[in-house]
Amino acid sequence: MRAGLNTPGSVKGPVRTCLGCRQRVLQGLLLRFALDAEGKVCVDLSGRLGGRHAYCCRDRGCWRKFCKNAKGLSKAFRRQVAGFDEELCNLFGSG
């Protein structure tokens, strides 16, 4: 089991699901993503962007799965995703 899971006896806090590996992990251990005005996925490091969000582990394998999960991203954001922000692709690689 992953260390961030909210299991009895563990640290309490908000739990989110990684769209890459589908593991439930404490929110603070995940990267948070939002959609910009053009409908492209961008990283929300400040945690202040409005709207719905998607989460991914800080693992390259999870990131690759996250990028390929177009259906899951559209479902998480409840709208069609237009792609990924250019800076985000440069930061993590093309996947």
Side-chain angles (χ1 to χ4, degrees):
M1 292 186 104
R2 192 168 255 169
L5 291 177
N6 192 15
T7 56
S10 70
V11 177
K12 302 292 183 192
V15 176
R16 301 292 183 260
T17 301
C18 169
L19 284 183
C21 64
R22 305 296 301 161
Q23 292 290 320
R24 293 176 45 83
V25 182
L26 288 173
Q27 182 177 347
L29 300 175
L30 298 170
L31 291 171
R32 176 174 157 146
F33 298 90
L35 290 182
D36 63 13
E38 299 171 357
K40 292 183 179 179
V41 177
C42 60
V43 69
D44 181 11
L45 295 175
S46 68
R48 298 198 182 267
L49 292 177
R52 296 187 58 84
H53 299 92
Y55 296 86
C56 181
C57 294
R58 299 169 188 261
D59 177 71
R60 188 169 292 276
C62 285
W63 169 248
R64 288 186 182 115
K65 290 178 186 176
F66 178 86
C67 290
K68 294 178 182 177
N69 191 359
K71 184 177 178 181
L73 286 170
S74 294
K75 186 176 178 181
F77 292 120
R78 293 188 181 170
R79 63 183 268 204
Q80 192 65 31
V81 173
F84 290 87
D85 180 72
E86 186 176 321
E87 289 181 20
L88 184 63
C89 291
N90 291 338
L91 180 63
F92 292 104
S94 60

